[in-house]
Amino acid sequence: MLIGTVAGQESPGQVVQFDKWVTQTSSEGGFTVKFPARPSTKQLSRSSGTVEIIRHVIAMDTKQNRHFEVNYVDLKGGSANPDALRRAGLDGFVNALVEQGGQLLSRTKINQGLCAGE
């Protein structure tokens, strides 16, 4: 599961440009991403039932009041049931964000073509 966010507050008409972007590669996550400056990295671990959830966070804040963040989750152990692993990963991700002051506004099952999720 890979999630990326960019957030910021800006005044009307204000455009912020970043001159030099820093490439961050995650060999474990299998991706490369660019940030406007060197990001920090951390791992947060928790358990949901028999599944260990390791959330990898790569993030940075700019002087222009912008926040850049990429998260991905590794699921270890527990069930070989894909639905149970997906549920544990989603629950762990939501719980971690709520612990940091986030709020879950809704949880609804959705379908997009042949893909289903929530």
Side-chain angles (χ1 to χ4, degrees):
M1 183 183 306
L2 176 65
I3 308 232
T5 60
V6 177
Q9 181 83 25
E10 63 184 63
S11 301
Q14 178 187 16
V15 176
V16 177
Q17 294 186 10
F18 302 104
D19 296 326
K20 186 177 178 183
W21 289 76
V22 176
T23 301
Q24 178 76 24
T25 300
S26 172
S27 56
E28 299 88 2
F31 63 89
T32 298
V33 64
K34 290 189 176 188
F35 286 87
R38 178 78 44 211
S40 64
T41 60
K42 64 181 175 181
Q43 294 181 5
L44 306 168
S45 182
R46 66 182 312 120
S47 295
S48 179
T50 60
V51 178
E52 179 186 10
I53 302 159
I54 303 168
R55 180 174 158 222
H56 303 265
V57 181
I58 306 167
M60 59 88 49
D61 292 299
T62 70
K63 293 177 185 175
Q64 296 85 4
N65 197 25
R66 301 293 190 282
H67 177 78
F68 293 80
E69 184 171 321
V70 173
N71 291 264
Y72 69 94
V73 178
D74 286 329
L75 305 174
K76 294 187 176 183
S79 173
N81 178 331
D83 288 331
L85 288 172
R86 182 190 54 77
R87 167 64 56 199
L90 186 56
D91 288 346
F93 184 73
V94 168
N95 292 340
L97 291 176
V98 168
E99 287 173 4
Q100 294 178 29
Q103 181 181 7
L104 179 63
L105 299 177
S106 69
R107 194 167 197 160
T108 306
K109 292 189 179 204
I110 59 170
N111 291 301
Q112 290 256 285
L114 299 174
C115 299
E118 58 181 85

